[in-house]
Amino acid sequence: MRRTKEETAETRDALLDAAETVFLRRGVARATLEEIAREAGMTRGAIYWHFSNKEAIYAAMLERVRLPLLETELQDAALDDPFGMLERFAEQALARIARDERIRHIHIIVMLRRERLPGHTEMADIERDMRGHFAMALRECFRRAQSLGLLRDGIPPERAARAYQGLLIGLIYIGIQDTDAFRLYDDGLEMMRDLLAGYRAD
């Protein structure tokens, strides 16, 4: 009996849920496809129906975070308020991680459970591609701000984009480790606003 598209999608989602659980518990390098299949209550054959290897599972896991965040107004070619867009993006990103346990777990996996081992270049390439995609969207925002006369003189859009990206990633890294002393949403958002205020033209 042929599976429906809905059943196929449900199976794929269940495998990704299981992979996230195993990656969080064991780390990506030590996790095996057998463990992921067992966590999902399925066979390894079910995994290979949807994913070619562990790297493909990892990439799909990241896509579940990437799509809601990067397909936003940041990439809108008709930006009229780039600084407002950048602030709202930071607010949405920090709120999602602070308040959504699953999304927070994925960031913990990427930042703390994905061991950087020799030979795992495919996963590093996946992460590099995501960072590059994000950096490109940010550069376009700051270039738009510059074209509108909103970016402070002497600040290259590329440098502003890197500073924004670096601060946001750093805040997330601190926030997922030091939940008692650092309020990711409240404190982090204020710091992002401080950065943007420093780049606004007077």
Side-chain angles (χ1 to χ4, degrees):
M1 180 173 157
R2 297 180 62 182
R3 289 180 294 179
T4 66
K5 289 183 179 179
E6 291 78 11
E7 289 171 333
T8 299
E10 288 174 4
T11 299
R12 186 178 188 274
D13 284 341
L15 288 168
L16 287 174
D17 290 342
E20 289 167 17
T21 299
V22 175
F23 289 162
L24 188 66
R25 183 174 65 233
R26 295 266 292 151
V28 179
R30 290 188 296 274
T32 66
L33 295 179
E34 182 66 35
E35 289 173 308
I36 294 170
R38 189 164 56 247
E39 181 71 29
M42 301 179 195
T43 65
R44 285 186 60 170
I47 292 180
Y48 286 121
W49 178 265
H50 294 276
F51 306 103
S52 56
N53 52 34
K54 187 165 62 174
E55 288 76 10
I57 296 175
Y58 185 79
M61 180 194 73
L62 293 186
E63 283 296 320
R64 298 216 286 187
V65 177
R66 171 180 178 168
L67 290 176
L69 289 178
L70 289 182
E71 299 302 323
T72 66
E73 294 166 310
L74 277 180
Q75 296 175 318
D76 190 336
L79 289 173
D80 294 319
D81 181 19
F83 277 101
M85 297 289 186
L86 289 162
E87 182 176 327
R88 286 193 292 276
F89 179 87
E91 182 176 9
Q92 292 168 11
L94 294 173
R96 283 166 56 84
I97 297 166
R99 299 167 184 170
D100 189 315
E101 185 177 55
R102 187 176 121 201
I103 292 174
R104 185 165 60 255
H105 283 171
I106 293 175
H107 283 83
I108 291 172
I109 290 166
V110 173
M111 292 183 166
L112 303 176
R113 300 285 195 271
R114 214 287 278 167
E115 303 86 343
R116 270 58 179 173
L117 299 176
H120 285 246
T121 57
E122 188 173 341
M123 290 185 186
D125 289 342
I126 292 166
E127 294 165 3
R128 189 178 302 110
D129 177 68
M130 288 191 69
R131 288 194 302 271
H133 186 67
F134 184 27
M136 181 174 62
L138 291 173
R139 285 195 300 271
E140 290 306 311
C141 267
F142 281 106
R143 285 171 184 161
R144 177 64 175 170
Q146 186 181 56
S147 71
L148 294 172
L150 301 175
L151 184 64
R152 204 177 81 205
D153 289 342
I155 302 294
E158 293 76 15
R159 191 170 77 203
R162 284 298 183 191
Y164 179 105
Q165 185 176 24
L167 178 58
L168 183 59
I169 292 172
L171 291 171
I172 294 168
Y173 184 80
I174 294 169
I176 62 178
Q177 295 188 85
D178 198 1
T179 55
D180 293 330
F182 182 72
R183 299 174 303 170
L184 178 57
Y185 178 76
D186 297 296
D187 297 337
L189 183 56
E190 286 304 309
M191 293 178 188
M192 293 302 298
R193 285 171 173 163
D194 289 344
L195 175 77
L196 291 172
Y199 285 148
R200 287 180 185 269
D202 295 330

